[in-house]
Amino acid sequence: MRKLFVSSLWLKYVPDTILGTNLLQPRYPICGLQMHSMHPYLHFAFALLSLHAIAVDVRHDEHDEVLHQRFAKYMQKYNKDYMKGTAEYGHRLARYSKAVAEAARWNQRPGRLWTAGAGPLADRSEEELQSMRGYFGSASMRGSRPVGFLRASLAQLSSTETPEQFLNWTSLKALDNVRDQGGCGSCWAVTASTVLDTHAEIYKSQQRSFSAQELVSCVPNVRKCGGTGKCGGATVELAFQYVMEHPLQTDADVPYDGSDGSCKEPSSLVQQSHGSTDLDVAAVGFHSAASDSPGMQFMSGWERLPENEYSPLLRAIYERGPVAVSVDASKWSSYESGIFDSCDQDAVINHAVTLIGYGRDKSLNAGYYMIQNSWGPSWGEDGKIRLLRKEDDDHFCGTDHQPQEGTGCEGGPKEVRVCGMCGILYDNAVPHFRHPP
């Protein structure tokens, strides 16, 4: 006795005498072809195959129905509105289905620190996600530093010991409203505005909010640092420098609408600081403007922290306030909760976010950076993500091989060294607000 395999079905114990015979016997020649009579065992096999095909069709229909039902709940939860039967509905459904499968794969990892899910970005295409990340950092031009604009890093000079955990800033009112940048590549402007708002609250500045939309519309980007400008990407450093040299409206005066918009500031004044000078805003160190600059009313300058150094970043968040940090957020769209630890050492810096604290999760036995994102409050942990933090982060390093696409200015270096989870230590900036009198 032996088994006969017929398209994934086993016919058990078919007699060898039958297998040794021709199961198809010739009968009735028609038009030069021969019809064949079928052995009873093959009749049985084809009957089973027919039943199997019907069962597969039923299961496929049931799966499709379940998928549509889940997608309907997803749309309701995140206020999406796609008309069933349209091309867009089919496109979004396919993206959602892929995101669900991807989240399931993430969640199968042994010893995982974070949980993936089909969140508000699950129906977005990769092109849309790239546009949302939108920030392309500020890899230094490696050029000369202008005399009179820089001095030694204040965070670097400080000898203050930092506590193991520091989450004081997470309770700031300025962070209550988690912003949603939408489809505009404006994370650089939204992050700059968020950081400025938090510092204004900490230092009791007269101006308590700074318009992200005005930054998008007005900040010039002559060297194409981080993109082409506006919703096409720029840098937090450019935004901080603009605020130093131009009176910026509040969010109430110029509310965010997620578009390029038009700048109300005269173009000659906008270009005055960046378009006609060789100021390298990507240089590490402290940047200050002239004493009569509008920004001097509330801040003495801003600082780009030393590249790929762990301690200055912790001291800056502890001593000064929230910090604008640059990261590789390519894999963040599936994040739901926990401590994210899935970035490769070779990271492409492509997103700007706000570092608001750091701590340690005892249940996971892991340290983390607490980051507020700009993808709305329904993403992640109420709009936030915890990123894996280790004391030796400045030794967890790789190479950004695409700084022109991800972190650089036009004419900048071909590659840069990036350290920390998702490259968090590479490019960070913090404003220096004046203490209240």
Side-chain angles (χ1 to χ4, degrees), residues 171-235:
S171 59
L172 291 171
K173 291 182 179 179
L175 297 174
D176 286 347
N177 179 30
V178 178
R179 308 187 193 194
D180 188 347
Q181 67 185 79
C184 175
S186 59
C187 59
W188 59 277
V190 173
T191 294
S193 172
T194 300
V195 171
L196 291 168
D197 286 2
T198 59
H199 283 249
E201 182 177 342
I202 293 169
Y203 294 97
K204 298 179 172 57
S205 169
Q206 285 188 327
Q207 181 166 345
R208 298 301 286 270
S209 78
F210 299 81
S211 170
Q213 185 58 52
E214 183 176 346
L215 292 174
V216 173
S217 301
C218 295
V219 172
N221 191 7
V222 177
R223 292 177 176 175
K224 294 184 173 58
C225 295
T228 57
K230 298 182 181 290
C231 286
T235 74

Short mmCIF file of all heavy atoms in Angstrom, two decimals, residues 171-235:
data_model
loop_
_atom_site.label_atom_id
_atom_site.label_comp_id
_atom_site.label_asym_id
_atom_site.label_seq_id
_atom_site.Cartn_x
_atom_site.Cartn_y
_atom_site.Cartn_z
N SER A 171 4.41 67.84 32.28
CA SER A 171 3.16 68.41 32.80
C SER A 171 2.93 69.84 32.34
O SER A 171 1.97 70.48 32.76
CB SER A 171 3.17 68.36 34.33
OG SER A 171 4.27 69.10 34.86
N LEU A 172 3.78 70.36 31.46
CA LEU A 172 3.60 71.72 30.95
C LEU A 172 2.29 71.84 30.16
O LEU A 172 1.94 70.95 29.38
CB LEU A 172 4.78 72.11 30.06
CG LEU A 172 6.13 72.30 30.74
CD1 LEU A 172 7.23 72.48 29.70
CD2 LEU A 172 6.10 73.50 31.68
N LYS A 173 1.61 72.95 30.34
CA LYS A 173 0.36 73.17 29.61
C LYS A 173 0.60 73.26 28.10
O LYS A 173 -0.27 72.90 27.30
CB LYS A 173 -0.32 74.44 30.11
CG LYS A 173 -0.88 74.32 31.53
CD LYS A 173 -1.59 75.60 31.95
CE LYS A 173 -2.15 75.46 33.36
NZ LYS A 173 -2.84 76.71 33.81
N ALA A 174 1.77 73.75 27.73
CA ALA A 174 2.09 73.89 26.31
C ALA A 174 2.12 72.55 25.59
O ALA A 174 2.03 72.50 24.36
CB ALA A 174 3.44 74.59 26.14
N LEU A 175 2.23 71.45 26.35
CA LEU A 175 2.28 70.12 25.75
C LEU A 175 0.94 69.40 25.81
O LEU A 175 0.82 68.27 25.33
CB LEU A 175 3.34 69.27 26.46
CG LEU A 175 4.78 69.77 26.35
CD1 LEU A 175 5.70 68.91 27.21
CD2 LEU A 175 5.25 69.75 24.89
N ASP A 176 -0.07 70.05 26.38
CA ASP A 176 -1.39 69.41 26.49
C ASP A 176 -1.99 69.12 25.11
O ASP A 176 -2.61 68.08 24.90
CB ASP A 176 -2.36 70.29 27.28
CG ASP A 176 -2.05 70.28 28.77
OD1 ASP A 176 -1.27 69.41 29.21
OD2 ASP A 176 -2.58 71.15 29.49
N ASN A 177 -1.80 70.05 24.21
CA ASN A 177 -2.37 69.91 22.87
C ASN A 177 -1.31 69.30 21.94
O ASN A 177 -0.41 69.99 21.47
CB ASN A 177 -2.82 71.27 22.33
CG ASN A 177 -3.38 71.17 20.92
OD1 ASN A 177 -3.93 70.14 20.55
ND2 ASN A 177 -3.22 72.23 20.15
N VAL A 178 -1.43 67.99 21.70
CA VAL A 178 -0.49 67.33 20.80
C VAL A 178 -0.83 67.72 19.37
O VAL A 178 -1.95 67.48 18.90
CB VAL A 178 -0.54 65.81 20.97
CG1 VAL A 178 0.41 65.13 19.99
CG2 VAL A 178 -0.20 65.42 22.39
N ARG A 179 0.10 68.29 18.68
CA ARG A 179 -0.18 68.82 17.35
C ARG A 179 -0.15 67.73 16.28
O ARG A 179 0.50 66.71 16.43
CB ARG A 179 0.83 69.91 17.01
CG ARG A 179 0.93 70.96 18.10
CD ARG A 179 1.80 72.12 17.69
NE ARG A 179 2.12 72.95 18.84
CZ ARG A 179 2.64 74.17 18.74
NH1 ARG A 179 2.89 74.69 17.55
NH2 ARG A 179 2.91 74.87 19.82
N ASP A 180 -0.89 68.01 15.22
CA ASP A 180 -0.94 67.11 14.07
C ASP A 180 -0.53 67.90 12.84
O ASP A 180 -1.25 68.79 12.39
CB ASP A 180 -2.35 66.55 13.91
CG ASP A 180 -2.42 65.46 12.85
OD1 ASP A 180 -1.45 65.31 12.07
OD2 ASP A 180 -3.45 64.76 12.78
N GLN A 181 0.66 67.59 12.32
CA GLN A 181 1.16 68.34 11.17
C GLN A 181 0.43 68.04 9.88
O GLN A 181 0.55 68.77 8.89
CB GLN A 181 2.65 68.05 10.97
CG GLN A 181 2.94 66.62 10.55
CD GLN A 181 4.42 66.33 10.47
OE1 GLN A 181 5.05 66.10 11.49
NE2 GLN A 181 4.96 66.34 9.27
N GLY A 182 -0.37 66.96 9.87
CA GLY A 182 -1.09 66.59 8.66
C GLY A 182 -0.14 66.11 7.58
O GLY A 182 0.92 65.55 7.86
N GLY A 183 -0.50 66.35 6.33
CA GLY A 183 0.30 65.88 5.21
C GLY A 183 1.43 66.80 4.82
O GLY A 183 2.18 66.52 3.88
N CYS A 184 1.59 67.90 5.53
CA CYS A 184 2.66 68.86 5.24
C CYS A 184 3.95 68.41 5.91
O CYS A 184 3.94 67.98 7.07
CB CYS A 184 2.25 70.24 5.78
SG CYS A 184 3.49 71.54 5.66
N GLY A 185 5.06 68.50 5.19
CA GLY A 185 6.36 68.13 5.75
C GLY A 185 6.91 69.22 6.65
O GLY A 185 8.00 69.76 6.42
N SER A 186 6.17 69.55 7.69
CA SER A 186 6.46 70.72 8.53
C SER A 186 6.91 70.35 9.93
O SER A 186 6.86 71.18 10.83
CB SER A 186 5.20 71.58 8.63
OG SER A 186 4.14 70.82 9.20
N CYS A 187 7.35 69.10 10.14
CA CYS A 187 7.72 68.70 11.50
C CYS A 187 8.78 69.63 12.09
O CYS A 187 8.81 69.88 13.29
CB CYS A 187 8.19 67.26 11.53
SG CYS A 187 9.61 66.94 10.47
N TRP A 188 9.67 70.13 11.24
CA TRP A 188 10.72 71.05 11.69
C TRP A 188 10.11 72.32 12.30
O TRP A 188 10.60 72.82 13.32
CB TRP A 188 11.63 71.42 10.51
CG TRP A 188 10.90 72.06 9.37
CD1 TRP A 188 10.21 71.44 8.37
CD2 TRP A 188 10.75 73.46 9.13
NE1 TRP A 188 9.65 72.37 7.51
CE2 TRP A 188 9.96 73.62 7.95
CE3 TRP A 188 11.21 74.60 9.79
CZ2 TRP A 188 9.64 74.86 7.43
CZ3 TRP A 188 10.88 75.86 9.27
CH2 TRP A 188 10.11 75.98 8.10
N ALA A 189 9.05 72.84 11.67
CA ALA A 189 8.40 74.06 12.15
C ALA A 189 7.52 73.78 13.37
O ALA A 189 7.52 74.54 14.34
CB ALA A 189 7.56 74.69 11.04
N VAL A 190 6.77 72.68 13.33
CA VAL A 190 5.90 72.32 14.45
C VAL A 190 6.75 72.02 15.69
O VAL A 190 6.42 72.44 16.80
CB VAL A 190 5.03 71.10 14.08
CG1 VAL A 190 4.25 70.62 15.30
CG2 VAL A 190 4.08 71.47 12.95
N THR A 191 7.86 71.32 15.50
CA THR A 191 8.75 71.03 16.63
C THR A 191 9.36 72.30 17.19
O THR A 191 9.41 72.51 18.40
CB THR A 191 9.85 70.05 16.19
OG1 THR A 191 9.25 68.78 15.88
CG2 THR A 191 10.89 69.86 17.29
N ALA A 192 9.86 73.17 16.31
CA ALA A 192 10.43 74.44 16.77
C ALA A 192 9.40 75.24 17.56
O ALA A 192 9.70 75.78 18.63
CB ALA A 192 10.94 75.25 15.58
N SER A 193 8.18 75.31 17.05
CA SER A 193 7.11 76.04 17.73
C SER A 193 6.79 75.41 19.09
O SER A 193 6.61 76.12 20.09
CB SER A 193 5.86 76.06 16.85
OG SER A 193 4.76 76.60 17.54
N THR A 194 6.73 74.08 19.13
CA THR A 194 6.43 73.39 20.39
C THR A 194 7.51 73.65 21.43
O THR A 194 7.22 73.94 22.60
CB THR A 194 6.30 71.87 20.14
OG1 THR A 194 5.25 71.62 19.19
CG2 THR A 194 6.00 71.13 21.43
N VAL A 195 8.77 73.54 21.02
CA VAL A 195 9.88 73.79 21.94
C VAL A 195 9.85 75.23 22.45
O VAL A 195 10.01 75.49 23.65
CB VAL A 195 11.23 73.47 21.26
CG1 VAL A 195 12.39 73.94 22.13
CG2 VAL A 195 11.35 71.97 21.00
N LEU A 196 9.63 76.18 21.56
CA LEU A 196 9.58 77.59 21.96
C LEU A 196 8.42 77.84 22.93
O LEU A 196 8.58 78.58 23.91
CB LEU A 196 9.44 78.48 20.73
CG LEU A 196 10.67 78.55 19.82
CD1 LEU A 196 10.32 79.22 18.50
CD2 LEU A 196 11.82 79.27 20.50
N ASP A 197 7.26 77.23 22.67
CA ASP A 197 6.11 77.41 23.56
C ASP A 197 6.41 76.88 24.96
O ASP A 197 6.03 77.50 25.97
CB ASP A 197 4.89 76.68 22.99
CG ASP A 197 4.27 77.40 21.81
OD1 ASP A 197 4.81 78.45 21.40
OD2 ASP A 197 3.25 76.92 21.28
N THR A 198 7.07 75.72 25.04
CA THR A 198 7.37 75.15 26.36
C THR A 198 8.36 76.02 27.12
O THR A 198 8.21 76.22 28.33
CB THR A 198 7.93 73.72 26.22
OG1 THR A 198 9.12 73.73 25.43
CG2 THR A 198 6.91 72.79 25.59
N HIS A 199 9.35 76.55 26.44
CA HIS A 199 10.33 77.40 27.11
C HIS A 199 9.70 78.72 27.53
O HIS A 199 10.05 79.27 28.58
CB HIS A 199 11.55 77.63 26.20
CG HIS A 199 12.47 76.46 26.15
ND1 HIS A 199 13.74 76.47 26.71
CD2 HIS A 199 12.32 75.22 25.63
CE1 HIS A 199 14.31 75.30 26.52
NE2 HIS A 199 13.47 74.53 25.86
N ALA A 200 8.79 79.23 26.71
CA ALA A 200 8.10 80.46 27.09
C ALA A 200 7.31 80.26 28.39
O ALA A 200 7.24 81.15 29.23
CB ALA A 200 7.16 80.89 25.96
N GLU A 201 6.73 79.05 28.55
CA GLU A 201 6.00 78.75 29.78
C GLU A 201 6.95 78.60 30.96
O GLU A 201 6.70 79.11 32.06
CB GLU A 201 5.16 77.49 29.60
CG GLU A 201 4.33 77.13 30.81
CD GLU A 201 3.45 75.91 30.59
OE1 GLU A 201 3.23 75.54 29.41
OE2 GLU A 201 2.99 75.32 31.59
N ILE A 202 8.04 77.91 30.75
CA ILE A 202 9.01 77.67 31.83
C ILE A 202 9.60 78.98 32.33
O ILE A 202 9.71 79.22 33.54
CB ILE A 202 10.14 76.73 31.35
CG1 ILE A 202 9.59 75.33 31.08
CG2 ILE A 202 11.27 76.66 32.38
CD1 ILE A 202 10.57 74.43 30.34
N TYR A 203 9.97 79.85 31.38
CA TYR A 203 10.68 81.08 31.74
C TYR A 203 9.74 82.29 31.82
O TYR A 203 10.20 83.43 31.93
CB TYR A 203 11.80 81.34 30.73
CG TYR A 203 12.88 80.28 30.81
CD1 TYR A 203 12.87 79.20 29.93
CD2 TYR A 203 13.88 80.34 31.77
CE1 TYR A 203 13.84 78.20 30.01
CE2 TYR A 203 14.85 79.35 31.85
CZ TYR A 203 14.83 78.29 30.98
OH TYR A 203 15.78 77.31 31.06
N LYS A 204 8.41 82.02 31.76
CA LYS A 204 7.40 83.06 31.93
C LYS A 204 7.62 84.23 30.98
O LYS A 204 7.59 85.42 31.37
CB LYS A 204 7.38 83.55 33.39
CG LYS A 204 7.00 82.44 34.38
CD LYS A 204 7.03 82.95 35.82
CE LYS A 204 6.47 81.94 36.78
NZ LYS A 204 7.17 80.64 36.75
N SER A 205 7.82 83.89 29.74
CA SER A 205 8.01 84.90 28.70
C SER A 205 6.70 85.65 28.43
O SER A 205 5.60 85.08 28.59
CB SER A 205 8.48 84.23 27.41
OG SER A 205 8.44 85.11 26.32
N GLN A 206 6.82 86.91 28.02
CA GLN A 206 5.62 87.68 27.68
C GLN A 206 4.91 87.06 26.48
O GLN A 206 3.69 87.03 26.42
CB GLN A 206 5.99 89.13 27.37
CG GLN A 206 6.31 89.95 28.62
CD GLN A 206 6.48 91.41 28.30
OE1 GLN A 206 6.95 91.78 27.22
NE2 GLN A 206 6.10 92.28 29.23
N GLN A 207 5.68 86.59 25.49
CA GLN A 207 5.07 85.91 24.35
C GLN A 207 5.01 84.43 24.69
O GLN A 207 6.03 83.78 24.89
CB GLN A 207 5.87 86.12 23.07
CG GLN A 207 5.23 85.43 21.86
CD GLN A 207 5.80 85.90 20.54
OE1 GLN A 207 6.48 86.92 20.48
NE2 GLN A 207 5.52 85.17 19.48
N ARG A 208 3.79 83.89 24.74
CA ARG A 208 3.62 82.52 25.22
C ARG A 208 3.39 81.51 24.10
O ARG A 208 3.34 80.31 24.37
CB ARG A 208 2.45 82.45 26.20
CG ARG A 208 2.66 83.30 27.44
CD ARG A 208 3.91 82.89 28.21
NE ARG A 208 3.73 81.63 28.92
CZ ARG A 208 3.29 81.53 30.16
NH1 ARG A 208 2.99 82.64 30.85
NH2 ARG A 208 3.16 80.37 30.76
N SER A 209 3.23 81.95 22.86
CA SER A 209 3.10 80.99 21.76
C SER A 209 3.75 81.55 20.51
O SER A 209 3.87 82.78 20.33
CB SER A 209 1.62 80.65 21.49
OG SER A 209 0.98 81.67 20.76
N PHE A 210 4.17 80.64 19.64
CA PHE A 210 4.91 80.99 18.43
C PHE A 210 4.31 80.22 17.26
O PHE A 210 4.20 78.99 17.31
CB PHE A 210 6.40 80.65 18.60
CG PHE A 210 7.05 81.40 19.72
CD1 PHE A 210 6.92 80.98 21.04
CD2 PHE A 210 7.78 82.56 19.46
CE1 PHE A 210 7.52 81.68 22.08
CE2 PHE A 210 8.38 83.27 20.50
CZ PHE A 210 8.24 82.83 21.81
N SER A 211 3.92 80.93 16.23
CA SER A 211 3.16 80.34 15.13
C SER A 211 4.00 79.39 14.28
O SER A 211 4.96 79.79 13.62
CB SER A 211 2.61 81.45 14.23
OG SER A 211 2.06 80.90 13.04
N ALA A 212 3.60 78.11 14.28
CA ALA A 212 4.25 77.13 13.41
C ALA A 212 3.96 77.45 11.95
O ALA A 212 4.82 77.26 11.08
CB ALA A 212 3.77 75.73 13.76
N GLN A 213 2.76 77.94 11.67
CA GLN A 213 2.39 78.23 10.29
C GLN A 213 3.23 79.37 9.71
O GLN A 213 3.65 79.33 8.55
CB GLN A 213 0.91 78.59 10.18
CG GLN A 213 0.42 78.79 8.75
CD GLN A 213 0.64 77.57 7.88
OE1 GLN A 213 0.25 76.46 8.25
NE2 GLN A 213 1.27 77.74 6.73
N GLU A 214 3.51 80.39 10.52
CA GLU A 214 4.35 81.47 10.02
C GLU A 214 5.76 80.96 9.72
O GLU A 214 6.39 81.38 8.74
CB GLU A 214 4.41 82.63 11.01
CG GLU A 214 5.23 83.81 10.47
CD GLU A 214 5.24 85.02 11.39
OE1 GLU A 214 4.43 85.07 12.32
OE2 GLU A 214 6.08 85.91 11.15
N LEU A 215 6.25 80.05 10.55
CA LEU A 215 7.56 79.47 10.28
C LEU A 215 7.55 78.72 8.95
O LEU A 215 8.48 78.84 8.14
CB LEU A 215 7.96 78.52 11.42
CG LEU A 215 8.26 79.17 12.77
CD1 LEU A 215 8.50 78.11 13.83
CD2 LEU A 215 9.47 80.09 12.68
N VAL A 216 6.52 77.93 8.73
CA VAL A 216 6.41 77.20 7.46
C VAL A 216 6.42 78.17 6.28
O VAL A 216 7.12 77.97 5.29
CB VAL A 216 5.13 76.34 7.43
CG1 VAL A 216 4.92 75.72 6.04
CG2 VAL A 216 5.18 75.24 8.48
N SER A 217 5.64 79.22 6.40
CA SER A 217 5.45 80.14 5.27
C SER A 217 6.62 81.08 5.05
O SER A 217 6.86 81.50 3.92
CB SER A 217 4.18 80.97 5.50
OG SER A 217 3.03 80.14 5.63
N CYS A 218 7.37 81.39 6.12
CA CYS A 218 8.34 82.48 6.02
C CYS A 218 9.81 82.09 6.11
O CYS A 218 10.66 82.83 5.59
CB CYS A 218 8.06 83.52 7.11
SG CYS A 218 6.47 84.37 6.94
N VAL A 219 10.14 80.99 6.76
CA VAL A 219 11.56 80.67 6.95
C VAL A 219 12.21 80.36 5.61
O VAL A 219 11.80 79.42 4.92
CB VAL A 219 11.74 79.49 7.91
CG1 VAL A 219 13.20 79.03 7.94
CG2 VAL A 219 11.28 79.87 9.31
N PRO A 220 13.22 81.13 5.20
CA PRO A 220 13.89 80.86 3.93
C PRO A 220 14.83 79.66 4.05
O PRO A 220 15.33 79.36 5.14
CB PRO A 220 14.67 82.14 3.66
CG PRO A 220 14.94 82.70 5.01
CD PRO A 220 13.77 82.31 5.88
N ASN A 221 15.06 79.00 2.95
CA ASN A 221 15.92 77.83 2.96
C ASN A 221 16.78 77.82 1.69
O ASN A 221 16.66 76.96 0.83
CB ASN A 221 15.08 76.55 3.06
CG ASN A 221 15.91 75.32 3.34
OD1 ASN A 221 17.10 75.40 3.58
ND2 ASN A 221 15.27 74.17 3.27
N VAL A 222 17.65 78.82 1.60
CA VAL A 222 18.43 79.04 0.39
C VAL A 222 19.33 77.86 0.08
O VAL A 222 19.49 77.47 -1.07
CB VAL A 222 19.26 80.34 0.52
CG1 VAL A 222 20.13 80.55 -0.70
CG2 VAL A 222 18.33 81.53 0.74
N ARG A 223 19.93 77.26 1.11
CA ARG A 223 20.87 76.16 0.89
C ARG A 223 20.19 74.80 0.83
O ARG A 223 20.84 73.77 0.77
CB ARG A 223 21.91 76.15 2.01
CG ARG A 223 22.85 77.34 1.98
CD ARG A 223 23.80 77.29 3.16
NE ARG A 223 24.79 78.37 3.12
CZ ARG A 223 25.66 78.60 4.09
NH1 ARG A 223 25.67 77.84 5.18
NH2 ARG A 223 26.53 79.59 3.99
N LYS A 224 18.85 74.82 0.84
CA LYS A 224 18.08 73.57 0.79
C LYS A 224 18.51 72.61 1.91
O LYS A 224 18.73 71.42 1.67
CB LYS A 224 18.20 72.91 -0.58
CG LYS A 224 17.56 73.73 -1.71
CD LYS A 224 17.63 72.99 -3.03
CE LYS A 224 16.84 73.73 -4.10
NZ LYS A 224 17.29 75.11 -4.33
N CYS A 225 18.62 73.15 3.10
CA CYS A 225 18.92 72.32 4.26
C CYS A 225 17.66 71.59 4.69
O CYS A 225 16.67 72.23 5.05
CB CYS A 225 19.46 73.18 5.41
SG CYS A 225 21.04 73.98 5.08
N GLY A 226 17.69 70.28 4.65
CA GLY A 226 16.54 69.50 5.08
C GLY A 226 15.39 69.46 4.10
O GLY A 226 14.31 68.98 4.44
N GLY A 227 15.57 69.96 2.91
CA GLY A 227 14.49 69.94 1.93
C GLY A 227 14.46 71.23 1.13
O GLY A 227 15.42 71.99 1.07
N THR A 228 13.31 71.49 0.54
CA THR A 228 13.16 72.65 -0.34
C THR A 228 12.46 73.81 0.34
O THR A 228 12.19 74.84 -0.29
CB THR A 228 12.36 72.25 -1.59
OG1 THR A 228 11.09 71.71 -1.19
CG2 THR A 228 13.12 71.20 -2.40
N GLY A 229 12.16 73.67 1.63
CA GLY A 229 11.48 74.74 2.34
C GLY A 229 9.99 74.50 2.43
O GLY A 229 9.42 73.63 1.76
N LYS A 230 9.34 75.25 3.33
CA LYS A 230 7.90 75.16 3.54
C LYS A 230 7.50 73.71 3.84
O LYS A 230 8.15 73.04 4.64
CB LYS A 230 7.14 75.74 2.34
CG LYS A 230 7.42 77.24 2.10
CD LYS A 230 6.62 77.79 0.95
CE LYS A 230 6.92 79.26 0.70
NZ LYS A 230 6.41 80.14 1.77
N CYS A 231 6.43 73.21 3.18
CA CYS A 231 6.01 71.82 3.41
C CYS A 231 6.97 70.83 2.77
O CYS A 231 6.82 69.62 2.96
CB CYS A 231 4.60 71.60 2.86
SG CYS A 231 3.29 72.35 3.86
N GLY A 232 7.95 71.33 2.04
CA GLY A 232 8.96 70.47 1.44
C GLY A 232 10.13 70.18 2.35
O GLY A 232 11.05 69.46 1.96
N GLY A 233 10.11 70.72 3.57
CA GLY A 233 11.14 70.40 4.55
C GLY A 233 12.16 71.50 4.77
O GLY A 233 12.55 72.20 3.83
N ALA A 234 12.59 71.67 6.00
CA ALA A 234 13.66 72.61 6.37
C ALA A 234 14.22 72.11 7.70
O ALA A 234 14.14 70.92 7.99
CB ALA A 234 13.14 74.03 6.46
N THR A 235 14.77 72.99 8.53
CA THR A 235 15.39 72.55 9.78
C THR A 235 14.93 73.38 10.97
O THR A 235 14.54 74.55 10.84
CB THR A 235 16.92 72.63 9.69
OG1 THR A 235 17.32 74.01 9.77
CG2 THR A 235 17.45 72.01 8.42
#
